[in-house]
Structures are given as structure tokens and as C-alpha cells.
């Protein structure tokens, strides 16, 4: 949620700030703004409601010339989407952008009687608090540290003051902040993608740390002002990964590039000849692998559904393993207990999701080993887990998660395949999964290319419906949930995913001519039972789409058949068609596909 950028150096700050905000726009896009300090030490703020394009327009008439500044793209938490509530905020000598939530802002506001507040935001209160402490010769760094000690909540902040030109102070607690170290310039960003092309050297600030940044670099401190020796790390990725590469939308690019990204997920981790899988990251000894008898998988949204699908595979592969898949926002507040022989898989594309992070911390408190299944390298979850694996899906810019889902399922499957060997798992089954994994990237590529036009036509046919039900059984059930989520979040069609066996326990009552139903039917031992639900819906006049790899006769309004040697992993393949379908429905409805309303990519607030 929200994107932060900052710059101090020899270049015109406005260009770098606006360019950085464009790259971070997917994190929040209600409103945006920048503030810079000019060569006469005068601060200028420009803010606008809407996307970065609106901010750019506003800056055309009043360009800012300074070489130091901060910028922000907002996803509203406190206060409506207005220019006054947009960041940067200003109080006295303090100019500030903030990501996160100050929980005790009302209490602090009541104390800050000397200040008149223009906005409804918690951020402006923090700016005023810092300003109130910024006096009697105290430095900006000390004022920020003193103020942050009073904060309950989360923050990633960047602050400057005309009293200390050439200095940016940044701090984080629960909201990412990265300091890019360039030649004669220092950049700040809440996401490493904004730094690509400027520098590869960066300091990832940890929770409870504060840094003073100048054009010469950065010095890091604790809030108690103890100097820390922070080692710069290398930023991964390249500019091409964060560009559309000829596609109309990032979403389509990310769907279509899944063969390549999955190849990266698998690279060096499967041995099809030996029929084995191995993940290095979890760093588990043979004994540790043998000792695992329970796996809890934690995630939100698509990451949760990826965990659900992976749990079916884990149960198939590891005979004596119990699994539990939990929604992070619920689990974090439950009085949960975990057996000592548990391992937690913490699944997150961004590695910053607040609820997932909170669960990770709760699980760690209980002495359970945590392993991350994370995409963004260097993210908070990746840094806090005991071990784990990067899924290597590359930057996912579109708000709807697609390639990350595929990579997450596969990474967890490889984890299961690896430990299965130590739990009496059937070597033939492990080898069969490994063989399918080897060919999965090519099969995804073929499936997407062969069916792109079909899915576009189908999408046009169904895009005017108001409601959709997605149904599946066994491993197709998590896919039904994921298909419905994808459709609803980008097309705004009301969509629900259900286990098809649940139809007659309620949802079948919904079926009428405003609904269509998407059935994922696998060519396996449950085929007849899966078709049962389809017949029930058709008998009541429901409009049905079937996605299947079966060659058998099936009656439906529309059938998309896949011919592939893939069997066990068929749900992953069929899910890529659902992704295309949702994409084309959203395009046909004229929606903002990459930045759907009310959403943001990285949910760093509760
Ligand atoms: O970054 P994460 O994987 O932790 O994000 C979890 C969810 O917020 C995310 O999957 C969300 O549901 C997407 N919009 C789904 O497409």
C-alpha cells in the first residue's frame, strides 16, 4: 500500500521522484504528490487526486527545480481521497511522506494543540509531532527518533526540513524502505523496482531503524540513536522486467510470460532423471525433514489459494503429513496451537503483506520453524523467516496475482516432493510429479498460445453477466476459488468459488439468467462426480463453461479442452486459462486492468 520515493543528489529531484512514483503506482493510486527543496531552501509541494499522470499534469504548469525531495502515491487509510489528504504532508519545518498506520494519532493530535490540521490523516499528526520536537538545536534525526518512540502502529517515512538542506531522514517499522546508494546521489524507495536503472547497491532498512541520507550516502541508527554498521546489498532484477514489453497491460504480460518465470522457479531444483526434487533454501537436515509431521501454510488472497492447492499435493506425496492452510488475517488473532513437529510455510508474493507478516511473528513466538515462499527478494517476510525459498517469478506489477500463484504452488510442491523421500513417499509418484514439473513450462506456453483467442471470444460472450460461480472438486477446488477471485477483482463481476460437492448445500439456489458457472473438470477418478454438479446446474437452466482435459462427451454451453500429457498438475494449467478469461472480461468491460479500483498490490496495512 502506498509508494514512497525520495532523492538527494545532483539531478533534478522532480524527474526522479515522478519516474519512481510511476513505477510504484501499482502499490496505491488514489492520489499522489511530491515535495522538493529548491536552491533557496524553499519547499514546494504539489499534490493531486488520481493517478501519477494527474500529478505530472499539475507539475507541467508549476515545475519544481530542487535537488532534494520526497514523493508518495497513496492508497487511502485515514481520510478520503482528496488533494488535502494526499502526501507529502507539512507541519512547521517538517515535510513528510508516510506509508503505514499511526494507531494512536487521535491521542497525539489532542496533545498537539498548537497545530492546525488541514487533513484528516494520521500522517499530518506525525509531521506535527516531529515538528514539535524539532527545536532548541535538536537535529532532524533526533527529532524524528524522539517522535517515533511515541508511535503505536506502523510506518515507513521520509522527512526533510528547510532547516537542514541536503538531508533526508527515513525510518521504518513494518513498512518497507530501501536506500539506494548511487554516485553522488542517494535514492529512497518503498520497493526496489523504483531504484532499478539508478543503482544496484542498497541498504534494506530493518524495523526500528532510522537513516540519515545525503548525496554522499546513508548512516543508519536505532531509535535510541546507536550507530549501526549496515552492509549494502545488491538489488536483483532489470528494467525490462518492470516494463510492459509490447503487451497492452502488465497483467497480460505476466500471464503470458509464465513459461519463462516458471522455468526460473524450477531451475536447479528438479532432477527428472533421478525423479527427485530439491529446494536448497529451507536448509533442513535429513533429520529435520524426517521430523516434520505437520505443515501449516499461511497466506492471503491468491497466496492462500496457492497454499490450498499445494496442501492437496502434499497430502498425496507425503503419507504421514497433516496439513492446515490458514488465512493470515484470521490466524493471527486465533489462540492457535501447533504441534512441535510442525513447519510453517509463509506464502507471499510481495513479502510485505501485514497480516501474513503478523502470523509469521506469532508462529515464531511459538517456537515453530518458519519457511518463506516469497517472490520479492529482500522483502520483510523473506528476511524474518528462518529459511525458505524464493519463487523467482520476477516483478509482478499488475495488482492481480497470476504468475506468482503458479510459482508458489510449484515451490510448495517441490518442498513436499523433497520431504516425501524421508517419509516413505511413493518414489514413482514423486518421479511422476517431477516429470510433469519438467514439462509444465512448455505446456503452459502451448496452452496459453493455443487458447488465447478462444478465451477472448468467450470473455466477450460472458462479460455482461452480473454473477459467476466457479466450481471444482479435489485439486480443482482451489482453482475454482482462485478463478473467482481473479474475475471479481479485475472485472467487478460478483464471483464466488465453491467446491462443486457443496452446490446442493446452498449455492444452487442462486442460479438464474444473471449467473454463469465455470466448471473445472479433471480427467481423473472423480470425473463422473465432477460432472454431477454440472448436470445439476444445467438442469436448472444455468449457463455453463467447462474447462477440462477430458476427451469424454460433456454437455455445456462452452467447453475449452486441453490436450496435454500433464495430469497431476492439470489444475495449474487450467488456471492459466481462467487468468486469460478474467483478463479479457475486464478489458471488454473497459476496466483499469492493472490497477483495479480500491485495491493495491502490496497490502502493508491491516
Ligand atoms: O503479496 P501477497 O502474496 O502476500 O499478497 C496476498 C494478496 O493480497 C494477493 O494475493 C491479492 O489477493 C491479489 N490481489 C490477488 O490477485
Amino acid at each position: 500500500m502506498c509508494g514512497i520515493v525520495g532523492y538527494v543528489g545532483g539531478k533534478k529531484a522532480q524527474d526522479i521522484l515522478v519516474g519512481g512514483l510511476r513505477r510504484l503506482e501499482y502499490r496505491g493510486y488514489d492520489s499522489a504528490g511530491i515535495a522538493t527543496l529548491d536552491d533557496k531552501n524553499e519547499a514546494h509541494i504539489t499534490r493531486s487526486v488520481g493517478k501519477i499522470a494527474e500529478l505530472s499534469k499539475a507539475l507541467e504548469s508549476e515545475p519544481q527545480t530542487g535537488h532534494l525531495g520526497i514523493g508518495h502515491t497513496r492508497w487511502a487509510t485515514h481520510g478520503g481521497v482528496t488533494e488535502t489528504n494526499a502526501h507529502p504532508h507539512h507541519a512547521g519545518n517538517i515535510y513528510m511522506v508516510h506509508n503505514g498506520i499511526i494507531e494512536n494519532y487521535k491521542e497525539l493530535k489532542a496533545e498537539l494543540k498548537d497545530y492546525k490540521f488541514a487533513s484528516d490523516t494520521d500522517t499530518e499528526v506525525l509531521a506535527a509531532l516531529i515538528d514539535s520536537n524539532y527545536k532548541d538545536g535538536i537535529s532532524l534525526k533526533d527529532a524524528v527518533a524522539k517522535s517515533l518512540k511515541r508511535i503505536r502502529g506502523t510506518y515507513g517515512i521520509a522527512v526533510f526540513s528547510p532547516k537542514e538542506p541536503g538531508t533526508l531522514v527515513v525510518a521504518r517499522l513494518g513498512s518497507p524502505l530501501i536506500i539506494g546508494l548511487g554516485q553522488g546521489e542517494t535514492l529512497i524507495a518503498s520497493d526496489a523496482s523504483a531504484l532499478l536503472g539508478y543503482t544496484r547497491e542498497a541498504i534494506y532498512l530493518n524495523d526500528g531503524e532510522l537513516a540519515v541520507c545525503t548525496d554522499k550516502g546513508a548512516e543508519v541508527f536505532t531509535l535510541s540513536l546507536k550507530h549501526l554498521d549496515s552492509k549494502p546489498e545488491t538489488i536483483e532484477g532489470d528494467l525490462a522486467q518492470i516494463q510492459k514489453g509490447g503487451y497492452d497491460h502488465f497483467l497480460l504480460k505476466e500471464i503470458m510470460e509464465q513459461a519463462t518465470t516458471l522455468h526460473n522457479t524450477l531451475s536447479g531444483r528438479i532432477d527428472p532423471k533421478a525423479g527427485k526434487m530439491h529446494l536448497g533454501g529451507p536448509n533442513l537436515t535429513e533429520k529435520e525433514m524426517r521430523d516434520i509431521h505437520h505443515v501449516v501454510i499461511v497466506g492471503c488472497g491468491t497466496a492462500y489459494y496457492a497454499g490450498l492447492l499445494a496442501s492437496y499435493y502434499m497430502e498425496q506425496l507425503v503419507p504421514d503429513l497433516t496439513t492446515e492452510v490458514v488465512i493470515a488475517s484470521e490466524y493471527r488473532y486465533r489462540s492457535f496451537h501447533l504441534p512441535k513437529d510442525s513447519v510453517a510455510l509463509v506464502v507471499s508474493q510481495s513479502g510485505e503483506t501485514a497480516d501474513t507478516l503478523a502470523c509469521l511473528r506469532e508462529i515464531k513466538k511459538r517456537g515453530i520453524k518458519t519457511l518463506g515462499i516469497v517472490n520479492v527478494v529482500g522483502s520483510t517476510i523473506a528476511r524474518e523467516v528462518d529459511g525458505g525459498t524464493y519463487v523467482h517469478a520476477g516483478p509482478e506489477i499488475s495488482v492481480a496475482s497470476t504468475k506468482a500463484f503458479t510459482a508458489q504452488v510449484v515451490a510448495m510442491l517441490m518442498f513436499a516432493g523433497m520431504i516425501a523421500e524421508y517419509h516413505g513417499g511413493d518414489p514413482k509418484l514423486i518421479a511422476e510429479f517431477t516429470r510433469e514439473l519438467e514439462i509444465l513450462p512448455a505446456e503452459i506456453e502451448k496452452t496459453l498460445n493455443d487458447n488465447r483467442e478462444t478465451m477472448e471470444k468467450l470473455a466477450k460472450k460472458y462479460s455482461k453477466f452480473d454473477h459467476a460461480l466457479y466450481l471444482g472438486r479435489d485439486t480443482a477446488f482451489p482453482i475454482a476459488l482462485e478463478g473467482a477471485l481473479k474475475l471479481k477483482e479485475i472485472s467487478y463481476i460478483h464471483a464466488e468459488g465453491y467446491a462443486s460437492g457443496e452446490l446442493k448445500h446452498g449455492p444452487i439456489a442462486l442460479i438464474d439468467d444473471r449467473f454463469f458457472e465455470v466448471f473445472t473438470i479433471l480427467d481423473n477418478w472423480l470425473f463422473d462426480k465432477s460432472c454431477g454438479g454440472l448436470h445439476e446446474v444445467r438442469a436448472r437452466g444455468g449457463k455453463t463453461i467447462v474447462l477440462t482435459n477430458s476427451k469424454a462427451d460433456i454437455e455445456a454451453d462452452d467447453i475449452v479442452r486441453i490436450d496435454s500429457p500433464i495430469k497431476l498438475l492439470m489444475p495449474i494449467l487450467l488456471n492459466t486459462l481462467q487468468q486469460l478469461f478474467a483478463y479479457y472480461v475486464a478489458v471488454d468491460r473497459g476496466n483499469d486492468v492493472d490497477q483495479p479500483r480500491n485495491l493495491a498490490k502490496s497490502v502493508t496495512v491491516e
Side-chain angles (χ1 to χ4, degrees), residues 218-289:
E219 284 193 280
V220 181
F221 302 86
T222 63
L223 287 194
S224 308
L225 300 177
K226 184 171 161 258
H227 190 274
L228 296 169
D229 207 8
S230 289
K231 288 206 177 57
E233 296 176 37
T234 305
I235 303 171
E236 297 198 354
D238 56 55
L239 272 178
Q241 289 178 312
I242 56 164
Q243 286 158 354
K244 284 187 194 150
Y247 287 98
D248 289 345
H249 299 99
F250 280 109
L251 184 55
L252 186 58
K253 176 189 174 228
E254 286 160 11
I255 294 170
M256 297 305 288
E257 74 186 5
Q258 286 181 93
T260 312
T261 56
L262 184 57
H263 189 77
N264 295 338
T265 311
L266 291 167
S267 179
R269 292 165 166 179
I270 53 168
D271 181 348
K273 272 200 195 126
K276 288 178 190 244
M277 316 177 201
H278 181 77
L279 284 183
N283 218 357
L284 299 167
T285 62
E286 284 188 24
K287 179 175 180 321
E288 282 172 325
M289 287 199 262

Side-chain angles (χ1 to χ4, degrees), residues 586-606:
V587 169
D588 199 56
R589 289 168 72 101
N591 292 354
D592 187 341
V593 177
D594 284 330
Q595 293 169 350
R597 69 187 181 202
N598 306 335
L599 292 174
K601 182 70 182 165
S602 174
V603 187
T604 53
V605 294
E606 202 180 337

Side-chain angles (χ1 to χ4, degrees), residues 279-471:
L279 284 183
N283 218 357
L284 299 167
T285 62
E286 284 188 24
K287 179 175 180 321
E288 282 172 325
M289 287 199 262
R290 232 174 244 119
D291 287 349
I292 300 171
H293 287 104
H294 184 72
V295 172
V296 59
I297 306 178
V298 188
C300 298
T302 288
Y304 167 73
Y305 296 144
L308 200 57
L309 178 55
S311 73
Y312 281 71
Y313 289 138
M314 270 178 206
E315 286 167 359
Q316 290 174 21
L317 277 161
V318 196
D320 59 353
L321 189 77
T322 55
T323 62
E324 184 185 10
V325 190
V326 295
I327 296 173
S329 55
E330 284 295 311
Y331 204 56
R332 63 182 289 185
Y333 293 117
R334 274 168 57 186
S335 313
F336 66 85
H337 310 283
L338 285 166
K340 286 285 165 233
D341 51 4
S342 302
V343 149
L345 299 186
V346 184
V347 192
S348 176
Q349 187 287 127
S350 61
E352 302 293 349
T353 302
D355 287 320
T356 311
L357 181 59
C359 275
L360 160 63
R361 291 173 178 163
E362 284 299 320
I363 293 168
K364 280 180 93 167
K365 272 190 211 157
R366 286 156 171 87
I368 299 299
K369 186 155 194 152
T370 55
L371 302 176
I373 305 291
V374 173
N375 191 32
V376 176
V377 176
S379 54
T380 309
I381 291 176
R383 299 164 86 79
E384 291 199 14
V385 285
D386 300 309
T389 212
Y390 283 119
V391 302
H392 295 310
E396 199 182 58
I397 309 285
S398 195
V399 165
S401 190
T402 50
K403 60 178 182 170
F405 173 86
T406 305
Q408 285 160 349
V409 176
V410 165
M412 284 184 270
L413 172 57
M414 290 190 287
F415 173 76
M418 178 174 77
I419 65 168
E421 278 192 50
Y422 302 89
H423 288 256
D426 177 0
K428 277 198 196 131
L429 186 64
I430 303 171
E432 187 51 24
F433 268 108
T434 312
R435 198 190 63 77
E436 289 205 6
L437 282 176
E438 187 193 16
I439 60 170
L440 188 60
E443 289 301 305
I444 288 183
E445 180 140 48
K446 183 172 177 306
T447 303
L448 287 169
N449 287 333
D450 290 355
N451 294 285
R452 193 167 151 184
E453 268 177 42
T454 311
M455 297 321 287
E456 187 174 4
K457 275 191 201 135
L458 211 56
K460 284 195 171 128
K461 181 170 168 187
Y462 288 92
S463 67
K464 302 295 176 298
F465 279 77
D466 298 325
H467 308 274
L469 267 183
Y470 279 68
L471 298 140

